[in-house]
Amino acid sequence: MLRWRRESTLGRMQTITESTRNGVDTDRMFATLDLIKSQPELAKFQFRATNRWLGGAHNRSTVKDFYAAGGEDTTRTAAFELDAGEPAILLGADTGPNPAEYLLHALAACLTTSIVYVAAARKVPLTSVESTLTGDMDVRGALGVDPEPRNGFERITVSFRVSGDAPPEKLREVVERAKARSAVYDMVANGVPVAVEVATA
Amino acid sequence: MLRWRRESTLGRMQTITESTRNGVDTDRMFATLDLIKSQPELAKFQFRATNRWLGGAHNRSTVKDFYAAGGEDTTRTAAFELDAGEPAILLGADTGPNPAEYLLHALAACLTTSIVYVAAARKVPLTSVESTLTGDMDVRGALGVDPEPRNGFERITVSFRVSGDAPPEKLREVVERAKARSAVYDMVANGVPVAVEVATA
């Protein structure tokens, strides 16, 4: 089995080896898991975003730096920029998906990657993973018109269509395990303590 | 006061009138609030995202259609596409922000727009709104290495820097009210019921 890598471009090389399944290098996956088991202090990560208001409902987040495995990440050479907005009916100029739509995307993305990683670890080759997410909201809450409806979605429904080289029961098990391990599913389903600090000038 | 609008391009025109504050047309804002007060059935919205796996940790959401105020939206002519990924250390090829970073962006964007809208309604002219968000995670949870740490962030800290033509106390009141009305803050702080359905093929 030929293995050739340069540490500095590890992720981008995506060297195809016998251990690659669903686009995930499972040798590296298991090595990472073993390393974190033996040195739990390496498991402390911090992700970040900075945001700037651009007028009306238009604002932009920049995502780049993060802390991982004992140090600041140096592999990201460019920042990701994300524009948010609101459609006309919510008084914006449609400069991007709205924040609630971004939350649906975060949930879809995390469950999908969890499915792909769990399947890779369990030797299940996937051919496609698609999902549709819906979130129902009574906007009287967020608009402050009525104190009764909550501000956020009353409920979110995620519908997955998963296909791969495994029986339906096995594919369902993979989705169940992914749901039990997904970071964003945990946060959206269970909530997270959020501290908001304010400096004025 | 000159008012000129075409319904079909309502959001994009951003006609500047005396009622525009912080880039928000407050006449339209108050008209929308009055309409929803008088016809609460118009407050039922549904937002959506569809997602497709593209290999490894790379997946893409499409955001376009939504239901609002008694019908399907027709103002969005193009879809927004959002690419997610993971950095090398989490076995991806850095094809986009990771799902947890997208959640931070959703939270930043929603709190920021809420601040801008509340300030517009309260006649507070803002000059800048910036924020930095951090989320601390022990990845042993999401990686399934240890059952003790939760999968998601243990905590999120949001630091706002807000400036505008108002005393610091007034600006702080605006942020407090925005926090009390933000849809994504509510969801992230308190959680939402999430149903996951699976079809296999």
Short mmCIF file of all heavy atoms in Angstrom, two decimals, chain A residues 37-101:
data_model
loop_
_atom_site.label_atom_id
_atom_site.label_comp_id
_atom_site.label_asym_id
_atom_site.label_seq_id
_atom_site.Cartn_x
_atom_site.Cartn_y
_atom_site.Cartn_z
N LYS A 37 -7.45 9.21 22.73
CA LYS A 37 -7.69 8.32 23.88
C LYS A 37 -6.50 8.37 24.84
O LYS A 37 -6.66 8.42 26.05
CB LYS A 37 -7.88 6.87 23.41
CG LYS A 37 -9.34 6.47 23.21
CD LYS A 37 -9.43 5.03 22.70
CE LYS A 37 -10.66 4.84 21.83
NZ LYS A 37 -10.61 3.65 20.99
N SER A 38 -5.28 8.34 24.27
CA SER A 38 -4.09 8.28 25.12
C SER A 38 -3.71 9.65 25.69
O SER A 38 -3.07 9.73 26.72
CB SER A 38 -2.91 7.70 24.33
OG SER A 38 -2.56 8.56 23.27
N GLN A 39 -4.11 10.74 25.00
CA GLN A 39 -3.80 12.09 25.49
C GLN A 39 -5.07 12.95 25.45
O GLN A 39 -5.22 13.79 24.55
CB GLN A 39 -2.71 12.74 24.65
CG GLN A 39 -1.37 12.00 24.69
CD GLN A 39 -0.31 12.73 23.90
OE1 GLN A 39 0.02 13.88 24.17
NE2 GLN A 39 0.23 12.07 22.89
N PRO A 40 -5.96 12.77 26.43
CA PRO A 40 -7.26 13.46 26.39
C PRO A 40 -7.15 14.97 26.33
O PRO A 40 -8.08 15.64 25.87
CB PRO A 40 -7.93 13.02 27.70
CG PRO A 40 -7.22 11.78 28.12
CD PRO A 40 -5.82 11.91 27.60
N GLU A 41 -6.01 15.54 26.79
CA GLU A 41 -5.87 17.00 26.76
C GLU A 41 -5.84 17.52 25.31
O GLU A 41 -6.11 18.69 25.06
CB GLU A 41 -4.61 17.44 27.54
CG GLU A 41 -3.28 17.03 26.93
CD GLU A 41 -2.85 15.61 27.32
OE1 GLU A 41 -3.71 14.82 27.81
OE2 GLU A 41 -1.67 15.28 27.13
N LEU A 42 -5.52 16.64 24.37
CA LEU A 42 -5.52 17.05 22.95
C LEU A 42 -6.94 17.22 22.41
O LEU A 42 -7.13 17.72 21.30
CB LEU A 42 -4.77 16.02 22.10
CG LEU A 42 -3.27 15.85 22.40
CD1 LEU A 42 -2.66 14.82 21.44
CD2 LEU A 42 -2.54 17.19 22.26
N ALA A 43 -7.93 16.80 23.18
CA ALA A 43 -9.33 16.86 22.71
C ALA A 43 -9.96 18.24 22.87
O ALA A 43 -11.07 18.47 22.41
CB ALA A 43 -10.17 15.81 23.44
N LYS A 44 -9.24 19.16 23.54
CA LYS A 44 -9.81 20.50 23.76
C LYS A 44 -9.69 21.35 22.51
O LYS A 44 -8.60 21.69 22.08
CB LYS A 44 -9.10 21.19 24.93
CG LYS A 44 -9.34 20.49 26.26
CD LYS A 44 -9.27 21.44 27.44
CE LYS A 44 -9.72 20.74 28.72
NZ LYS A 44 -11.09 20.17 28.65
N PHE A 45 -10.84 21.67 21.89
CA PHE A 45 -10.88 22.49 20.68
C PHE A 45 -11.65 23.78 21.00
O PHE A 45 -12.49 23.82 21.91
CB PHE A 45 -11.64 21.76 19.56
CG PHE A 45 -10.82 20.73 18.81
CD1 PHE A 45 -10.04 19.80 19.48
CD2 PHE A 45 -10.85 20.69 17.41
CE1 PHE A 45 -9.30 18.84 18.79
CE2 PHE A 45 -10.11 19.74 16.70
CZ PHE A 45 -9.33 18.81 17.39
N GLN A 46 -11.32 24.84 20.26
CA GLN A 46 -12.17 26.04 20.31
C GLN A 46 -12.37 26.55 18.89
O GLN A 46 -11.41 26.84 18.18
CB GLN A 46 -11.55 27.16 21.16
CG GLN A 46 -12.48 28.36 21.25
CD GLN A 46 -11.88 29.52 22.05
OE1 GLN A 46 -10.97 30.20 21.61
NE2 GLN A 46 -12.43 29.74 23.24
N PHE A 47 -13.65 26.65 18.49
CA PHE A 47 -13.97 27.23 17.19
C PHE A 47 -14.47 28.65 17.38
O PHE A 47 -14.95 29.02 18.46
CB PHE A 47 -15.01 26.36 16.45
CG PHE A 47 -14.46 25.02 16.08
CD1 PHE A 47 -14.85 23.87 16.75
CD2 PHE A 47 -13.51 24.92 15.07
CE1 PHE A 47 -14.30 22.63 16.42
CE2 PHE A 47 -12.96 23.69 14.74
CZ PHE A 47 -13.36 22.54 15.41
N ARG A 48 -14.32 29.46 16.31
CA ARG A 48 -14.59 30.91 16.44
C ARG A 48 -15.22 31.48 15.18
O ARG A 48 -15.03 30.94 14.09
CB ARG A 48 -13.28 31.66 16.68
CG ARG A 48 -12.53 31.19 17.92
CD ARG A 48 -11.08 31.68 17.93
NE ARG A 48 -10.31 30.99 18.97
CZ ARG A 48 -9.02 30.69 18.86
NH1 ARG A 48 -8.33 31.01 17.77
NH2 ARG A 48 -8.42 30.06 19.85
N ALA A 49 -15.91 32.58 15.35
CA ALA A 49 -16.39 33.37 14.21
C ALA A 49 -16.38 34.82 14.63
O ALA A 49 -16.63 35.13 15.81
CB ALA A 49 -17.80 32.94 13.81
N THR A 50 -16.04 35.72 13.72
CA THR A 50 -16.20 37.15 13.99
C THR A 50 -17.22 37.67 12.99
O THR A 50 -17.29 37.20 11.85
CB THR A 50 -14.89 37.94 13.84
OG1 THR A 50 -14.42 37.79 12.50
CG2 THR A 50 -13.83 37.43 14.80
N ASN A 51 -18.04 38.63 13.45
CA ASN A 51 -19.13 39.11 12.60
C ASN A 51 -19.13 40.63 12.59
O ASN A 51 -18.80 41.27 13.59
CB ASN A 51 -20.46 38.57 13.13
CG ASN A 51 -21.64 38.94 12.24
OD1 ASN A 51 -22.14 40.07 12.30
ND2 ASN A 51 -22.07 38.01 11.41
N ARG A 52 -19.53 41.20 11.44
CA ARG A 52 -19.59 42.65 11.30
C ARG A 52 -20.88 43.03 10.59
O ARG A 52 -21.24 42.43 9.57
CB ARG A 52 -18.38 43.14 10.49
CG ARG A 52 -18.11 44.63 10.62
CD ARG A 52 -16.66 44.95 10.25
NE ARG A 52 -16.41 44.66 8.85
CZ ARG A 52 -16.63 45.53 7.86
NH1 ARG A 52 -17.10 46.73 8.10
NH2 ARG A 52 -16.35 45.19 6.61
N TRP A 53 -21.56 44.01 11.13
CA TRP A 53 -22.80 44.53 10.54
C TRP A 53 -22.47 45.38 9.31
O TRP A 53 -21.58 46.22 9.36
CB TRP A 53 -23.52 45.39 11.57
CG TRP A 53 -24.74 46.08 11.06
CD1 TRP A 53 -25.76 45.55 10.32
CD2 TRP A 53 -25.08 47.46 11.25
NE1 TRP A 53 -26.71 46.51 10.04
CE2 TRP A 53 -26.32 47.68 10.61
CE3 TRP A 53 -24.46 48.53 11.92
CZ2 TRP A 53 -26.95 48.94 10.61
CZ3 TRP A 53 -25.08 49.77 11.92
CH2 TRP A 53 -26.32 49.96 11.26
N LEU A 54 -23.22 45.17 8.22
CA LEU A 54 -22.97 45.90 6.97
C LEU A 54 -24.15 46.79 6.57
O LEU A 54 -24.15 47.36 5.49
CB LEU A 54 -22.65 44.91 5.84
CG LEU A 54 -21.41 44.04 6.08
CD1 LEU A 54 -21.29 42.97 5.01
CD2 LEU A 54 -20.15 44.90 6.13
N GLY A 55 -25.18 46.88 7.41
CA GLY A 55 -26.35 47.72 7.10
C GLY A 55 -27.61 46.87 7.00
O GLY A 55 -27.61 45.81 6.39
N GLY A 56 -28.69 47.36 7.64
CA GLY A 56 -29.95 46.61 7.62
C GLY A 56 -29.75 45.19 8.14
O GLY A 56 -29.08 44.99 9.15
N ALA A 57 -30.31 44.23 7.42
CA ALA A 57 -30.20 42.82 7.84
C ALA A 57 -28.95 42.15 7.29
O ALA A 57 -28.81 40.93 7.38
CB ALA A 57 -31.44 42.06 7.39
N HIS A 58 -28.05 42.91 6.71
CA HIS A 58 -26.85 42.35 6.09
C HIS A 58 -25.67 42.36 7.07
O HIS A 58 -25.27 43.42 7.55
CB HIS A 58 -26.50 43.17 4.83
CG HIS A 58 -25.39 42.57 4.01
ND1 HIS A 58 -24.70 43.28 3.05
CD2 HIS A 58 -24.86 41.32 3.98
CE1 HIS A 58 -23.80 42.50 2.48
NE2 HIS A 58 -23.87 41.31 3.03
N ASN A 59 -25.16 41.19 7.36
CA ASN A 59 -23.93 41.12 8.15
C ASN A 59 -23.10 39.95 7.65
O ASN A 59 -23.59 39.08 6.92
CB ASN A 59 -24.23 41.03 9.66
CG ASN A 59 -25.02 39.80 10.03
OD1 ASN A 59 -24.51 38.68 10.00
ND2 ASN A 59 -26.30 39.99 10.40
N ARG A 60 -21.83 39.98 8.01
CA ARG A 60 -20.87 39.00 7.44
C ARG A 60 -20.00 38.42 8.54
O ARG A 60 -19.42 39.16 9.33
CB ARG A 60 -20.00 39.70 6.40
CG ARG A 60 -18.96 38.80 5.73
CD ARG A 60 -18.20 39.57 4.66
NE ARG A 60 -19.11 39.97 3.58
CZ ARG A 60 -18.94 41.05 2.82
NH1 ARG A 60 -17.91 41.85 3.00
NH2 ARG A 60 -19.82 41.33 1.88
N SER A 61 -19.90 37.10 8.56
CA SER A 61 -18.99 36.44 9.48
C SER A 61 -17.71 36.03 8.76
O SER A 61 -17.74 35.66 7.58
CB SER A 61 -19.62 35.19 10.10
OG SER A 61 -20.61 35.55 11.06
N THR A 62 -16.63 36.08 9.49
CA THR A 62 -15.35 35.58 9.01
C THR A 62 -14.96 34.41 9.90
O THR A 62 -15.02 34.50 11.12
CB THR A 62 -14.28 36.69 9.09
OG1 THR A 62 -14.71 37.79 8.29
CG2 THR A 62 -12.93 36.20 8.58
N VAL A 63 -14.59 33.30 9.26
CA VAL A 63 -14.25 32.08 9.98
C VAL A 63 -12.87 31.63 9.53
O VAL A 63 -12.65 31.40 8.33
CB VAL A 63 -15.29 30.96 9.68
CG1 VAL A 63 -14.81 29.63 10.26
CG2 VAL A 63 -16.66 31.33 10.22
N LYS A 64 -11.93 31.55 10.43
CA LYS A 64 -10.59 31.08 10.05
C LYS A 64 -9.89 30.36 11.21
O LYS A 64 -9.74 29.16 11.18
CB LYS A 64 -9.74 32.24 9.53
CG LYS A 64 -8.34 31.82 9.06
CD LYS A 64 -7.62 32.98 8.38
CE LYS A 64 -6.28 32.56 7.80
NZ LYS A 64 -5.27 32.33 8.85
N ASP A 65 -9.49 31.13 12.20
CA ASP A 65 -8.68 30.57 13.28
C ASP A 65 -9.45 29.59 14.15
O ASP A 65 -10.65 29.76 14.38
CB ASP A 65 -8.16 31.69 14.19
CG ASP A 65 -7.33 32.69 13.42
OD1 ASP A 65 -6.78 32.30 12.38
OD2 ASP A 65 -7.26 33.86 13.85
N PHE A 66 -8.78 28.60 14.62
CA PHE A 66 -9.34 27.75 15.68
C PHE A 66 -8.19 27.11 16.46
O PHE A 66 -7.05 27.07 16.00
CB PHE A 66 -10.30 26.70 15.13
CG PHE A 66 -9.69 25.68 14.20
CD1 PHE A 66 -9.22 24.47 14.67
CD2 PHE A 66 -9.59 25.95 12.84
CE1 PHE A 66 -8.65 23.54 13.82
CE2 PHE A 66 -9.02 25.03 11.97
CZ PHE A 66 -8.55 23.82 12.46
N TYR A 67 -8.52 26.65 17.66
CA TYR A 67 -7.56 26.00 18.53
C TYR A 67 -7.87 24.51 18.53
O TYR A 67 -9.04 24.12 18.68
CB TYR A 67 -7.67 26.56 19.95
CG TYR A 67 -6.73 25.94 20.95
CD1 TYR A 67 -5.48 26.50 21.21
CD2 TYR A 67 -7.09 24.79 21.66
CE1 TYR A 67 -4.61 25.93 22.13
CE2 TYR A 67 -6.22 24.21 22.58
CZ TYR A 67 -4.99 24.78 22.81
OH TYR A 67 -4.13 24.22 23.71
N ALA A 68 -6.86 23.69 18.36
CA ALA A 68 -7.10 22.25 18.27
C ALA A 68 -5.85 21.49 18.68
O ALA A 68 -4.74 21.88 18.31
CB ALA A 68 -7.47 21.87 16.84
N ALA A 69 -6.06 20.41 19.42
CA ALA A 69 -4.97 19.47 19.73
C ALA A 69 -3.73 20.15 20.28
O ALA A 69 -2.61 19.85 19.87
CB ALA A 69 -4.63 18.65 18.47
N GLY A 70 -3.94 21.09 21.20
CA GLY A 70 -2.80 21.68 21.90
C GLY A 70 -2.20 22.92 21.28
O GLY A 70 -1.17 23.41 21.75
N GLY A 71 -2.78 23.45 20.22
CA GLY A 71 -2.21 24.66 19.62
C GLY A 71 -3.16 25.32 18.63
O GLY A 71 -4.21 24.76 18.29
N GLU A 72 -2.77 26.52 18.19
CA GLU A 72 -3.56 27.23 17.18
C GLU A 72 -3.34 26.56 15.82
O GLU A 72 -2.20 26.23 15.46
CB GLU A 72 -3.13 28.70 17.10
CG GLU A 72 -3.59 29.54 18.26
CD GLU A 72 -5.11 29.71 18.28
OE1 GLU A 72 -5.69 30.00 17.22
OE2 GLU A 72 -5.72 29.55 19.36
N ASP A 73 -4.42 26.38 15.09
CA ASP A 73 -4.32 25.79 13.75
C ASP A 73 -3.54 26.71 12.81
O ASP A 73 -3.69 27.92 12.85
CB ASP A 73 -5.72 25.60 13.18
CG ASP A 73 -5.66 25.18 11.72
OD1 ASP A 73 -5.29 24.03 11.46
OD2 ASP A 73 -5.97 26.01 10.82
N THR A 74 -2.70 26.11 11.99
CA THR A 74 -1.97 26.90 11.00
C THR A 74 -2.22 26.41 9.58
O THR A 74 -1.61 26.90 8.63
CB THR A 74 -0.44 26.82 11.26
OG1 THR A 74 -0.06 25.43 11.27
CG2 THR A 74 -0.07 27.45 12.59
N THR A 75 -3.14 25.45 9.43
CA THR A 75 -3.33 24.87 8.09
C THR A 75 -4.26 25.70 7.21
O THR A 75 -4.18 25.63 5.99
CB THR A 75 -3.90 23.44 8.18
OG1 THR A 75 -5.22 23.49 8.76
CG2 THR A 75 -3.02 22.54 9.02
N ARG A 76 -5.15 26.49 7.82
CA ARG A 76 -6.05 27.31 7.02
C ARG A 76 -5.33 28.56 6.55
O ARG A 76 -4.96 29.41 7.36
CB ARG A 76 -7.28 27.72 7.83
CG ARG A 76 -8.37 26.71 7.83
CD ARG A 76 -9.63 27.31 8.42
NE ARG A 76 -10.70 26.33 8.45
CZ ARG A 76 -11.71 26.37 9.30
NH1 ARG A 76 -11.79 27.36 10.18
NH2 ARG A 76 -12.64 25.46 9.29
N THR A 77 -5.18 28.67 5.26
CA THR A 77 -4.44 29.82 4.73
C THR A 77 -5.37 30.98 4.41
O THR A 77 -4.95 32.13 4.39
CB THR A 77 -3.68 29.41 3.46
OG1 THR A 77 -4.60 28.74 2.59
CG2 THR A 77 -2.55 28.44 3.81
N ALA A 78 -6.65 30.70 4.16
CA ALA A 78 -7.59 31.78 3.83
C ALA A 78 -8.80 31.69 4.74
O ALA A 78 -9.13 30.62 5.26
CB ALA A 78 -8.02 31.67 2.37
N ALA A 79 -9.45 32.83 4.92
CA ALA A 79 -10.65 32.87 5.75
C ALA A 79 -11.88 32.56 4.90
O ALA A 79 -11.92 32.84 3.70
CB ALA A 79 -10.80 34.24 6.38
N PHE A 80 -12.88 31.97 5.53
CA PHE A 80 -14.19 31.81 4.90
C PHE A 80 -15.05 33.01 5.27
O PHE A 80 -15.05 33.44 6.42
CB PHE A 80 -14.88 30.54 5.39
CG PHE A 80 -14.14 29.28 5.04
CD1 PHE A 80 -13.54 28.51 6.03
CD2 PHE A 80 -14.04 28.85 3.73
CE1 PHE A 80 -12.85 27.35 5.73
CE2 PHE A 80 -13.36 27.69 3.40
CZ PHE A 80 -12.76 26.93 4.40
N GLU A 81 -15.79 33.55 4.30
CA GLU A 81 -16.69 34.67 4.59
C GLU A 81 -18.12 34.24 4.32
O GLU A 81 -18.41 33.61 3.30
CB GLU A 81 -16.34 35.87 3.72
CG GLU A 81 -14.94 36.39 4.02
CD GLU A 81 -14.79 37.86 3.68
OE1 GLU A 81 -15.43 38.31 2.71
OE2 GLU A 81 -14.04 38.56 4.40
N LEU A 82 -19.00 34.55 5.25
CA LEU A 82 -20.40 34.11 5.17
C LEU A 82 -21.30 35.32 5.30
O LEU A 82 -21.26 36.01 6.33
CB LEU A 82 -20.70 33.12 6.30
CG LEU A 82 -19.81 31.88 6.36
CD1 LEU A 82 -20.04 31.11 7.66
CD2 LEU A 82 -20.10 30.97 5.16
N ASP A 83 -22.12 35.58 4.27
CA ASP A 83 -23.04 36.71 4.31
C ASP A 83 -24.43 36.26 4.73
O ASP A 83 -24.97 35.31 4.16
CB ASP A 83 -23.13 37.38 2.94
CG ASP A 83 -21.96 38.32 2.69
OD1 ASP A 83 -20.83 37.95 3.07
OD2 ASP A 83 -22.19 39.42 2.15
N ALA A 84 -24.99 36.97 5.70
CA ALA A 84 -26.36 36.69 6.12
C ALA A 84 -27.27 37.84 5.68
O ALA A 84 -26.81 38.95 5.44
CB ALA A 84 -26.42 36.53 7.64
N GLY A 85 -28.56 37.55 5.58
CA GLY A 85 -29.54 38.57 5.23
C GLY A 85 -30.91 38.14 5.66
O GLY A 85 -31.07 37.18 6.40
N GLU A 86 -31.89 38.88 5.20
CA GLU A 86 -33.29 38.49 5.37
C GLU A 86 -33.99 38.78 4.05
O GLU A 86 -33.63 39.71 3.34
CB GLU A 86 -33.98 39.31 6.48
CG GLU A 86 -33.51 39.02 7.89
CD GLU A 86 -33.95 37.66 8.44
OE1 GLU A 86 -34.75 36.97 7.76
OE2 GLU A 86 -33.48 37.28 9.53
N PRO A 87 -35.01 37.98 3.72
CA PRO A 87 -35.79 38.29 2.52
C PRO A 87 -36.63 39.56 2.76
O PRO A 87 -36.75 40.03 3.89
CB PRO A 87 -36.68 37.06 2.36
CG PRO A 87 -36.78 36.47 3.73
CD PRO A 87 -35.47 36.79 4.42
N ALA A 88 -37.21 40.07 1.67
CA ALA A 88 -37.97 41.32 1.73
C ALA A 88 -39.06 41.28 2.79
O ALA A 88 -39.26 42.26 3.52
CB ALA A 88 -38.57 41.62 0.36
N ILE A 89 -39.74 40.15 2.91
CA ILE A 89 -40.86 40.08 3.84
C ILE A 89 -40.40 40.24 5.29
O ILE A 89 -41.20 40.64 6.15
CB ILE A 89 -41.66 38.77 3.64
CG1 ILE A 89 -43.03 38.90 4.29
CG2 ILE A 89 -40.90 37.56 4.15
CD1 ILE A 89 -44.05 37.89 3.79
N LEU A 90 -39.13 39.97 5.54
CA LEU A 90 -38.58 40.21 6.88
C LEU A 90 -37.65 41.43 6.85
O LEU A 90 -36.68 41.51 7.61
CB LEU A 90 -37.89 38.96 7.42
CG LEU A 90 -38.88 37.84 7.80
CD1 LEU A 90 -38.14 36.55 8.16
CD2 LEU A 90 -39.79 38.26 8.95
N LEU A 91 -37.96 42.37 5.93
CA LEU A 91 -37.39 43.71 5.93
C LEU A 91 -35.92 43.76 5.52
O LEU A 91 -35.22 44.74 5.81
CB LEU A 91 -37.55 44.36 7.32
CG LEU A 91 -38.96 44.31 7.91
CD1 LEU A 91 -38.94 44.66 9.39
CD2 LEU A 91 -39.90 45.23 7.14
N GLY A 92 -35.45 42.73 4.83
CA GLY A 92 -34.07 42.73 4.37
C GLY A 92 -33.99 42.86 2.86
O GLY A 92 -35.00 43.08 2.18
N ALA A 93 -32.78 42.71 2.33
CA ALA A 93 -32.54 42.81 0.89
C ALA A 93 -32.00 41.49 0.34
O ALA A 93 -31.38 41.48 -0.71
CB ALA A 93 -31.58 43.96 0.61
N ASP A 94 -32.24 40.40 1.06
CA ASP A 94 -31.89 39.06 0.60
C ASP A 94 -30.40 38.94 0.27
O ASP A 94 -30.02 38.32 -0.73
CB ASP A 94 -32.74 38.72 -0.63
CG ASP A 94 -33.12 37.24 -0.66
OD1 ASP A 94 -33.13 36.58 0.41
OD2 ASP A 94 -33.42 36.74 -1.76
N THR A 95 -29.58 39.48 1.13
CA THR A 95 -28.12 39.48 0.91
C THR A 95 -27.46 38.14 1.26
O THR A 95 -26.24 38.00 1.11
CB THR A 95 -27.45 40.58 1.76
OG1 THR A 95 -27.94 40.47 3.12
CG2 THR A 95 -27.81 41.96 1.23
N GLY A 96 -28.27 37.20 1.70
CA GLY A 96 -27.76 35.87 2.04
C GLY A 96 -28.86 35.08 2.70
O GLY A 96 -29.94 35.62 2.97
N PRO A 97 -28.62 33.81 2.98
CA PRO A 97 -29.59 33.03 3.77
C PRO A 97 -29.81 33.76 5.10
O PRO A 97 -28.93 34.49 5.57
CB PRO A 97 -28.87 31.70 4.00
CG PRO A 97 -27.85 31.60 2.92
CD PRO A 97 -27.42 33.01 2.64
N ASN A 98 -30.98 33.56 5.70
CA ASN A 98 -31.16 34.20 7.00
C ASN A 98 -30.57 33.32 8.11
O ASN A 98 -30.21 32.15 7.89
CB ASN A 98 -32.62 34.62 7.21
CG ASN A 98 -33.55 33.49 7.56
OD1 ASN A 98 -33.12 32.39 7.89
ND2 ASN A 98 -34.84 33.74 7.47
N PRO A 99 -30.41 33.86 9.31
CA PRO A 99 -29.74 33.11 10.38
C PRO A 99 -30.39 31.77 10.69
O PRO A 99 -29.68 30.78 10.94
CB PRO A 99 -29.84 34.09 11.56
CG PRO A 99 -29.82 35.45 10.92
CD PRO A 99 -30.65 35.29 9.69
N ALA A 100 -31.71 31.70 10.65
CA ALA A 100 -32.39 30.43 10.95
C ALA A 100 -32.11 29.40 9.85
O ALA A 100 -32.00 28.20 10.13
CB ALA A 100 -33.89 30.66 11.11
N GLU A 101 -32.00 29.85 8.60
CA GLU A 101 -31.64 28.94 7.51
C GLU A 101 -30.19 28.45 7.68
O GLU A 101 -29.89 27.28 7.39
CB GLU A 101 -31.82 29.65 6.16
CG GLU A 101 -33.30 29.89 5.83
CD GLU A 101 -33.52 30.80 4.64
OE1 GLU A 101 -32.71 31.74 4.41
OE2 GLU A 101 -34.52 30.62 3.92
#
